[in-house]
Amino acid sequence: MFYRARKRFGQNFLQDARVVRHILEVLDARPGEALLEIGPGRGAITRGLLRAAGGLIAVELDRDLARELPRRLEGLGRLQVIQTDALRLNLADLPDPGPFRVVGNLPYNVSTPLLFHLLEQADRIRDMHFMLQREVVERLAAGPGGKTYGRLSVMVQARCRVEPLFQVGPGAFRPRPKVESAFVRLLPRHRPVYEPAAADCFEVLVLRAFSQRRKTLRKSLRALVPDGALEAVGIDPRARPETLAVEDFARLAAAVECAPL
Ligand code: SAM
């Protein structure tokens, strides 16, 4: 069937067999694993995953692609396609209890909200492997001190280990995206870096600090953190947010009371 890629669904289909092979190698899917693919599209990755694991659940927003996929991959394994928006996906409602190995060449226009949505359900996830815009992977993996380190790095690293795996050029996709891509592995931690009771406070502090990243922490956090609280947990109030490690934010969140956002 002729199919025109839909820009609004972020459709850039993988068409480089070497890249697909590389993805399948690093995933190393095994029979019996609970695989969940986000945005299977025309099945570039799905095909190999089905062969390796014998079954998977795929969540696809595009009605036409969702309808077509089982026909395309008929006979390769137990494929369950759920036609819905992955941003609304509740892992607890899926016909498999997990823990899931989540994989996707993600639509770049929704990749960050999707990451946050999945992280909220990280207790049901064993690992995640995503193709993302290279710049997003750099931000996910960045350590303190640089320009790429920010809210996304801190929020994700607090809950996951981030392993950038390899880079992929625009020529691997049809249509060609305007950006470079990279494949990344995220391994949820057993427990987040922050105290569970301080989760909301951690989020508020990180958001506030990085929304005014050129200000000192004393200024940007003035409304949330009482005088002396930064010094009390060993943080220089004149520091800027990008110099703080994830653990610094966690220590601060445990030490102060935050009003909700
Ligand atoms: N996995 C295929 C591949 O590698 O060739 C397609 C990747 S394409 C970059 C992204 C896929 O995600 C498309 O099939 C698109 O229709 C689907 N998609 C876009 N937004 C989505 C959403 N919110 N929920 C689920 N799928 C979505």
Side-chain angles (χ1 to χ4, degrees):
M1 180 181 95
F2 177 75
Y3 179 84
R4 189 184 292 278
R6 292 183 170 130
K7 220 173 173 178
R8 72 176 188 285
F9 291 151
Q11 291 175 353
N12 299 98
F13 299 109
L14 251 175
Q15 52 95 46
D16 184 328
R18 277 171 315 174
V19 175
V20 172
R21 244 192 337 269
H22 202 167
I23 290 174
L24 294 171
E25 268 165 29
V26 299
L27 272 159
D28 192 21
R30 302 293 169 96
E33 291 179 341
L35 294 179
L36 170 65
E37 185 179 1
I38 312 278
R42 297 193 287 210
I45 308 170
T46 328
R47 184 179 295 274
L49 286 179
L50 267 180
R51 285 211 177 99
L56 74 83
I57 300 175
V59 175
E60 172 58 61
L61 181 59
D62 184 317
R63 271 208 185 85
D64 294 334
L65 289 178
R67 200 177 314 124
E68 176 67 14
L69 194 62
R71 277 203 285 269
R72 216 178 252 275
L73 303 181
E74 202 175 344
L76 290 182
R78 283 168 290 104
L79 171 65
Q80 300 184 64
V81 182
I82 301 176
Q83 192 268 311
T84 191
D85 183 346
L87 284 168
R88 294 161 178 263
L89 190 66
N90 186 348
L91 298 186
D93 294 340
L94 292 178
D96 189 309
F100 290 97
R101 302 195 67 198
V102 186
V103 52
N105 168 16
L106 293 189
Y108 294 165
N109 49 350
V110 294
S111 58
T112 307
L114 199 51
L115 277 178
F116 279 98
H117 182 66
L118 290 170
L119 282 175
E120 279 164 22
Q121 308 176 66
D123 53 332
R124 289 184 181 268
I125 296 177
R126 189 179 121 192
D127 58 22
M128 296 180 264
H129 289 80
F130 295 129
M131 183 78 75
L132 296 167
Q133 208 170 316
R134 190 170 98 191
E135 184 210 313
V136 174
V137 171
E138 284 166 3
R139 283 164 52 207
L140 288 174
K147 273 194 183 150
T148 40
Y149 182 71
R151 176 175 174 242
L152 185 65
S153 332
V154 175
M155 292 307 298
V156 171
Q157 288 171 30
R159 284 180 269 186
C160 291
R161 283 207 345 251
V162 180
E163 292 177 16
L165 296 175
F166 52 89
Q167 299 184 358
V168 181
F173 307 89
R174 285 284 178 279
R176 285 169 72 101
K178 291 201 179 69
V179 293
E180 297 280 323
S181 303
F183 199 66
V184 65
R185 175 184 288 144
L186 303 175
L187 296 165
R189 301 179 190 280
H190 290 303
R191 291 191 330 172
V193 169
Y194 45 78
E195 299 286 334
D200 291 344
C201 194
F202 181 85
E203 195 177 335
V204 174
L205 286 170
V206 173
L207 179 70
R208 196 61 74 80
F210 283 106
S211 61
Q212 298 171 303
R213 58 186 293 149
R214 297 175 67 178
K215 287 194 177 166
T216 63
L217 292 165
R218 187 202 323 266
K219 283 198 178 140
S220 59
L221 300 181
R222 193 170 5 226
L224 295 168
V225 175
D227 279 350
L230 287 162
E231 293 91 329
V233 292
I235 296 172
D236 181 350
R238 292 163 305 180
R240 297 188 199 276
E242 66 269 21
T243 62
L244 260 56
V246 179
E247 293 75 12
D248 293 325
F249 282 106
R251 245 186 6 267
L252 185 59
V256 299
E257 298 265 335
C258 297
L261 272 182

PDB file of all heavy atoms in Angstrom, residues 50 68-69 87 90 136 141 143 146 179 184-185 188 192 202 213 215 223 227 241 253:
ATOM      1  N   LEU A  50       9.597  -9.225  16.830  1.00  0.00           N
ATOM      2  CA  LEU A  50       8.644 -10.345  16.853  1.00  0.00           C
ATOM      3  C   LEU A  50       9.373 -11.664  16.620  1.00  0.00           C
ATOM      4  O   LEU A  50       9.103 -12.657  17.293  1.00  0.00           O
ATOM      5  CB  LEU A  50       7.616 -10.159  15.738  1.00  0.00           C
ATOM      6  CG  LEU A  50       6.328  -9.439  16.098  1.00  0.00           C
ATOM      7  CD1 LEU A  50       5.447  -9.343  14.864  1.00  0.00           C
ATOM      8  CD2 LEU A  50       5.583 -10.147  17.216  1.00  0.00           C
ATOM      9  N   GLU A  68      -2.919  -1.626   9.359  1.00  0.00           N
ATOM     10  CA  GLU A  68      -2.120  -2.322   8.341  1.00  0.00           C
ATOM     11  C   GLU A  68      -1.058  -3.258   8.956  1.00  0.00           C
ATOM     12  O   GLU A  68      -0.716  -4.294   8.377  1.00  0.00           O
ATOM     13  CB  GLU A  68      -1.442  -1.229   7.484  1.00  0.00           C
ATOM     14  CG  GLU A  68      -0.494  -1.690   6.419  1.00  0.00           C
ATOM     15  CD  GLU A  68      -1.169  -2.442   5.290  1.00  0.00           C
ATOM     16  OE1 GLU A  68      -2.394  -2.393   5.171  1.00  0.00           O
ATOM     17  OE2 GLU A  68      -0.426  -3.128   4.552  1.00  0.00           O
ATOM     18  N   LEU A  69      -0.549  -2.870  10.107  1.00  0.00           N
ATOM     19  CA  LEU A  69       0.630  -3.580  10.659  1.00  0.00           C
ATOM     20  C   LEU A  69       0.435  -5.099  10.837  1.00  0.00           C
ATOM     21  O   LEU A  69       1.310  -5.875  10.437  1.00  0.00           O
ATOM     22  CB  LEU A  69       1.065  -2.917  11.975  1.00  0.00           C
ATOM     23  CG  LEU A  69       2.439  -3.313  12.463  1.00  0.00           C
ATOM     24  CD1 LEU A  69       3.538  -2.905  11.483  1.00  0.00           C
ATOM     25  CD2 LEU A  69       2.729  -2.703  13.840  1.00  0.00           C
ATOM     26  N   LEU A  87       0.828   8.952  24.808  1.00  0.00           N
ATOM     27  CA  LEU A  87       0.832   9.903  25.928  1.00  0.00           C
ATOM     28  C   LEU A  87      -0.294   9.613  26.918  1.00  0.00           C
ATOM     29  O   LEU A  87      -0.302  10.140  28.026  1.00  0.00           O
ATOM     30  CB  LEU A  87       0.681  11.337  25.408  1.00  0.00           C
ATOM     31  CG  LEU A  87       1.919  11.936  24.778  1.00  0.00           C
ATOM     32  CD1 LEU A  87       1.576  13.222  24.043  1.00  0.00           C
ATOM     33  CD2 LEU A  87       2.978  12.208  25.847  1.00  0.00           C
ATOM     34  N   ASN A  90      -1.649   3.850  29.869  1.00  0.00           N
ATOM     35  CA  ASN A  90      -1.445   3.440  31.245  1.00  0.00           C
ATOM     36  C   ASN A  90      -0.947   1.992  31.207  1.00  0.00           C
ATOM     37  O   ASN A  90      -1.673   1.083  30.798  1.00  0.00           O
ATOM     38  CB  ASN A  90      -2.794   3.550  31.975  1.00  0.00           C
ATOM     39  CG  ASN A  90      -2.643   3.275  33.443  1.00  0.00           C
ATOM     40  OD1 ASN A  90      -1.595   2.790  33.890  1.00  0.00           O
ATOM     41  ND2 ASN A  90      -3.673   3.570  34.199  1.00  0.00           N
ATOM     42  N   VAL A 136      18.583  15.806  22.088  1.00  0.00           N
ATOM     43  CA  VAL A 136      17.835  15.390  23.286  1.00  0.00           C
ATOM     44  C   VAL A 136      18.639  14.345  24.055  1.00  0.00           C
ATOM     45  O   VAL A 136      18.736  14.392  25.288  1.00  0.00           O
ATOM     46  CB  VAL A 136      16.424  14.855  22.905  1.00  0.00           C
ATOM     47  CG1 VAL A 136      15.714  14.287  24.120  1.00  0.00           C
ATOM     48  CG2 VAL A 136      15.595  15.955  22.270  1.00  0.00           C
ATOM     49  N   ALA A 141      21.883  12.864  28.820  1.00  0.00           N
ATOM     50  CA  ALA A 141      23.089  12.249  29.393  1.00  0.00           C
ATOM     51  C   ALA A 141      24.044  13.265  30.030  1.00  0.00           C
ATOM     52  O   ALA A 141      24.995  12.873  30.701  1.00  0.00           O
ATOM     53  CB  ALA A 141      23.825  11.487  28.293  1.00  0.00           C
ATOM     54  N   GLY A 143      26.213  15.826  32.169  1.00  0.00           N
ATOM     55  CA  GLY A 143      26.541  16.013  33.577  1.00  0.00           C
ATOM     56  C   GLY A 143      26.606  17.496  33.896  1.00  0.00           C
ATOM     57  O   GLY A 143      26.579  18.333  32.982  1.00  0.00           O
ATOM     58  N   GLY A 146      27.839  21.964  32.044  1.00  0.00           N
ATOM     59  CA  GLY A 146      27.749  22.404  30.644  1.00  0.00           C
ATOM     60  C   GLY A 146      26.408  23.034  30.307  1.00  0.00           C
ATOM     61  O   GLY A 146      25.498  23.055  31.127  1.00  0.00           O
ATOM     62  N   VAL A 179      17.193  16.750  11.496  1.00  0.00           N
ATOM     63  CA  VAL A 179      18.114  16.689  12.633  1.00  0.00           C
ATOM     64  C   VAL A 179      18.854  15.354  12.651  1.00  0.00           C
ATOM     65  O   VAL A 179      18.430  14.393  12.024  1.00  0.00           O
ATOM     66  CB  VAL A 179      17.334  16.851  13.957  1.00  0.00           C
ATOM     67  CG1 VAL A 179      16.746  18.240  14.063  1.00  0.00           C
ATOM     68  CG2 VAL A 179      16.241  15.800  14.074  1.00  0.00           C
ATOM     69  N   VAL A 184      19.408   5.579  22.511  1.00  0.00           N
ATOM     70  CA  VAL A 184      19.781   5.671  23.917  1.00  0.00           C
ATOM     71  C   VAL A 184      19.082   4.588  24.735  1.00  0.00           C
ATOM     72  O   VAL A 184      17.971   4.174  24.411  1.00  0.00           O
ATOM     73  CB  VAL A 184      19.423   7.079  24.474  1.00  0.00           C
ATOM     74  CG1 VAL A 184      17.919   7.336  24.483  1.00  0.00           C
ATOM     75  CG2 VAL A 184      20.006   7.323  25.857  1.00  0.00           C
ATOM     76  N   ARG A 185      19.770   4.132  25.777  1.00  0.00           N
ATOM     77  CA  ARG A 185      19.178   3.166  26.718  1.00  0.00           C
ATOM     78  C   ARG A 185      18.935   3.873  28.051  1.00  0.00           C
ATOM     79  O   ARG A 185      19.835   4.583  28.540  1.00  0.00           O
ATOM     80  CB  ARG A 185      20.152   2.006  26.921  1.00  0.00           C
ATOM     81  CG  ARG A 185      19.694   1.004  27.970  1.00  0.00           C
ATOM     82  CD  ARG A 185      20.756  -0.066  28.192  1.00  0.00           C
ATOM     83  NE  ARG A 185      20.832  -0.973  27.057  1.00  0.00           N
ATOM     84  CZ  ARG A 185      21.959  -1.520  26.604  1.00  0.00           C
ATOM     85  NH1 ARG A 185      23.115  -1.248  27.174  1.00  0.00           N
ATOM     86  NH2 ARG A 185      21.938  -2.338  25.564  1.00  0.00           N
ATOM     87  N   PRO A 188      15.708   2.281  34.481  1.00  0.00           N
ATOM     88  CA  PRO A 188      15.115   2.841  35.694  1.00  0.00           C
ATOM     89  C   PRO A 188      15.849   2.350  36.947  1.00  0.00           C
ATOM     90  O   PRO A 188      16.224   1.175  37.042  1.00  0.00           O
ATOM     91  CB  PRO A 188      13.677   2.308  35.674  1.00  0.00           C
ATOM     92  CG  PRO A 188      13.395   2.035  34.239  1.00  0.00           C
ATOM     93  CD  PRO A 188      14.718   1.597  33.648  1.00  0.00           C
ATOM     94  N   PRO A 192      14.326   6.230  43.082  1.00  0.00           N
ATOM     95  CA  PRO A 192      14.841   7.502  42.562  1.00  0.00           C
ATOM     96  C   PRO A 192      15.924   8.058  43.487  1.00  0.00           C
ATOM     97  O   PRO A 192      16.029   7.635  44.653  1.00  0.00           O
ATOM     98  CB  PRO A 192      13.622   8.424  42.578  1.00  0.00           C
ATOM     99  CG  PRO A 192      12.439   7.576  42.871  1.00  0.00           C
ATOM    100  CD  PRO A 192      12.912   6.298  43.454  1.00  0.00           C
ATOM    101  N   PHE A 202      11.281  18.071  44.842  1.00  0.00           N
ATOM    102  CA  PHE A 202      12.402  17.924  43.908  1.00  0.00           C
ATOM    103  C   PHE A 202      12.011  18.515  42.546  1.00  0.00           C
ATOM    104  O   PHE A 202      12.736  19.320  41.969  1.00  0.00           O
ATOM    105  CB  PHE A 202      12.738  16.429  43.776  1.00  0.00           C
ATOM    106  CG  PHE A 202      13.888  16.131  42.871  1.00  0.00           C
ATOM    107  CD1 PHE A 202      15.191  16.175  43.344  1.00  0.00           C
ATOM    108  CD2 PHE A 202      13.685  15.780  41.538  1.00  0.00           C
ATOM    109  CE1 PHE A 202      16.268  15.887  42.505  1.00  0.00           C
ATOM    110  CE2 PHE A 202      14.738  15.496  40.700  1.00  0.00           C
ATOM    111  CZ  PHE A 202      16.032  15.544  41.189  1.00  0.00           C
ATOM    112  N   ARG A 213      17.946  30.105  34.663  1.00  0.00           N
ATOM    113  CA  ARG A 213      19.265  29.503  34.856  1.00  0.00           C
ATOM    114  C   ARG A 213      20.400  30.506  34.947  1.00  0.00           C
ATOM    115  O   ARG A 213      21.500  30.150  35.362  1.00  0.00           O
ATOM    116  CB  ARG A 213      19.547  28.384  33.852  1.00  0.00           C
ATOM    117  CG  ARG A 213      19.486  28.724  32.409  1.00  0.00           C
ATOM    118  CD  ARG A 213      19.650  27.468  31.556  1.00  0.00           C
ATOM    119  NE  ARG A 213      20.961  26.861  31.656  1.00  0.00           N
ATOM    120  CZ  ARG A 213      21.190  25.553  31.539  1.00  0.00           C
ATOM    121  NH1 ARG A 213      20.204  24.715  31.326  1.00  0.00           N
ATOM    122  NH2 ARG A 213      22.413  25.091  31.610  1.00  0.00           N
ATOM    123  N   LYS A 215      20.256  33.110  36.844  1.00  0.00           N
ATOM    124  CA  LYS A 215      20.252  33.693  38.193  1.00  0.00           C
ATOM    125  C   LYS A 215      20.949  32.762  39.179  1.00  0.00           C
ATOM    126  O   LYS A 215      21.013  31.547  38.965  1.00  0.00           O
ATOM    127  CB  LYS A 215      18.810  33.887  38.666  1.00  0.00           C
ATOM    128  CG  LYS A 215      18.090  35.019  37.971  1.00  0.00           C
ATOM    129  CD  LYS A 215      16.836  35.365  38.724  1.00  0.00           C
ATOM    130  CE  LYS A 215      16.156  36.555  38.062  1.00  0.00           C
ATOM    131  NZ  LYS A 215      14.794  36.728  38.536  1.00  0.00           N
ATOM    132  N   ALA A 223      11.696  32.108  46.828  1.00  0.00           N
ATOM    133  CA  ALA A 223      10.322  31.902  47.293  1.00  0.00           C
ATOM    134  C   ALA A 223      10.113  30.505  47.897  1.00  0.00           C
ATOM    135  O   ALA A 223       9.134  30.268  48.597  1.00  0.00           O
ATOM    136  CB  ALA A 223       9.368  32.107  46.123  1.00  0.00           C
ATOM    137  N   ASP A 227      16.046  31.255  54.147  1.00  0.00           N
ATOM    138  CA  ASP A 227      17.434  31.708  54.305  1.00  0.00           C
ATOM    139  C   ASP A 227      18.259  30.656  55.019  1.00  0.00           C
ATOM    140  O   ASP A 227      17.815  30.084  56.008  1.00  0.00           O
ATOM    141  CB  ASP A 227      17.455  33.000  55.160  1.00  0.00           C
ATOM    142  CG  ASP A 227      17.118  34.198  54.299  1.00  0.00           C
ATOM    143  OD1 ASP A 227      17.077  34.032  53.063  1.00  0.00           O
ATOM    144  OD2 ASP A 227      16.876  35.273  54.877  1.00  0.00           O
ATOM    145  N   PRO A 241      22.243  26.985  38.642  1.00  0.00           N
ATOM    146  CA  PRO A 241      21.680  25.625  38.726  1.00  0.00           C
ATOM    147  C   PRO A 241      22.498  24.571  37.987  1.00  0.00           C
ATOM    148  O   PRO A 241      22.555  23.417  38.418  1.00  0.00           O
ATOM    149  CB  PRO A 241      20.289  25.781  38.092  1.00  0.00           C
ATOM    150  CG  PRO A 241      20.352  27.035  37.285  1.00  0.00           C
ATOM    151  CD  PRO A 241      21.310  27.932  38.001  1.00  0.00           C
ATOM    152  N   ALA A 253      15.869  19.046  48.353  1.00  0.00           N
ATOM    153  CA  ALA A 253      14.436  18.718  48.393  1.00  0.00           C
ATOM    154  C   ALA A 253      14.071  18.046  49.714  1.00  0.00           C
ATOM    155  O   ALA A 253      12.988  18.268  50.261  1.00  0.00           O
ATOM    156  CB  ALA A 253      14.082  17.813  47.216  1.00  0.00           C
TER     157      ALA A 253
END
